[in-house]
Amino acid sequence: MPSTKFDFIGATDKPALLAFSTPDLLDTARGALEELGYKVHTAATHSDFAVRFSQVRYQVVIVEELFAANTIEENSTLDMLKSMPMAQRRHATILLLGDSFQTFMPMQAFQQSVHAVINRSELFLLKQLIEKAVADNALFLHSYKEAQVRAFADPVRR
């Protein structure tokens, strides 16, 4: 039964969303994010993830490759993220965690339409890996965001 607890996100909060089926992985990811100062929400199902992701501009999203699935191909959450236009997911640094990835392998991340992939064997470094992925994504999008601010600040274009 879904929780009826409301967890409001304030202007200074750093929201993060987790989609995990494995309790020990969920606990590890939650702990790493909380240590980094994130306010962590968890999705229990694919539809719960879709609703939460559409309602909050999460800064970090971590999905387990087998979230509510037996194979990565059955992971509806990952399929939803892959098919979503970039403009709808650009605000979040999306990480995919699983056994079938080599940590920070760019081609594997690109194939899955995420910012970074992390191998489960490197969970002991999860806090540092999250920091690195967020920093890399911020650097990558820096010029884009600056251009966007200038375009919308230009009074001639209004």
Side-chain angles (χ1 to χ4, degrees):
M1 186 164 145
S3 171
T4 56
K5 177 185 164 230
F6 293 101
D7 191 10
F8 295 102
I9 302 293
T12 59
D13 289 331
K14 295 173 14 180
L17 179 60
L18 298 175
F20 283 78
S21 294
T22 310
D24 60 325
L25 294 179
L26 174 63
D27 291 343
T28 300
R30 179 192 317 274
L33 287 165
E34 286 175 348
E35 281 185 47
L36 293 169
Y38 288 91
K39 184 178 253 187
V40 181
H41 293 169
T42 58
T45 64
H46 297 297
S47 59
D48 185 28
F49 180 92
V51 168
R52 288 176 180 275
F53 192 82
S54 69
Q55 292 177 342
V56 175
R57 291 180 57 88
Y58 290 100
Q59 292 180 13
V60 174
V61 173
I62 307 176
V63 179
E64 182 182 5
E65 76 177 317
L66 299 181
F67 171 59
N70 293 315
T71 66
I72 194 167
E73 293 80 19
E74 292 176 7
N75 188 332
S76 299
T77 293
L78 191 55
D79 287 342
M80 179 197 72
L81 288 168
K82 285 180 183 179
S83 65
M84 188 179 291
M86 181 53 88
Q88 285 182 287
R89 58 189 166 106
R90 188 173 283 127
H91 57 85
T93 299
I94 302 173
L95 305 161
L96 183 59
L97 179 78
D99 292 324
S100 61
F101 306 113
Q102 184 176 344
T103 299
F104 280 95
M105 179 61 72
M107 284 308 295
Q108 288 180 328
F110 178 75
Q111 289 170 336
Q112 300 299 327
S113 297
V114 298
H115 295 98
V117 292
I118 299 173
N119 187 283
R120 181 182 182 152
S121 69
E122 307 220 29
L123 279 180
F124 68 98
L125 291 172
L126 189 57
K127 182 177 154 189
Q128 294 88 339
L129 295 172
I130 292 167
E131 287 178 309
K132 179 177 175 14
V134 169
D136 288 353
N137 189 42
L139 180 64
F140 178 73
L141 291 176
H142 179 73
S143 296
Y144 167 80
K145 289 179 179 179
E146 271 191 354
Q148 202 174 31
V149 167
R150 281 194 304 273
F152 288 112
D154 185 355
V156 175
R157 294 183 184 225
R158 287 189 197 165

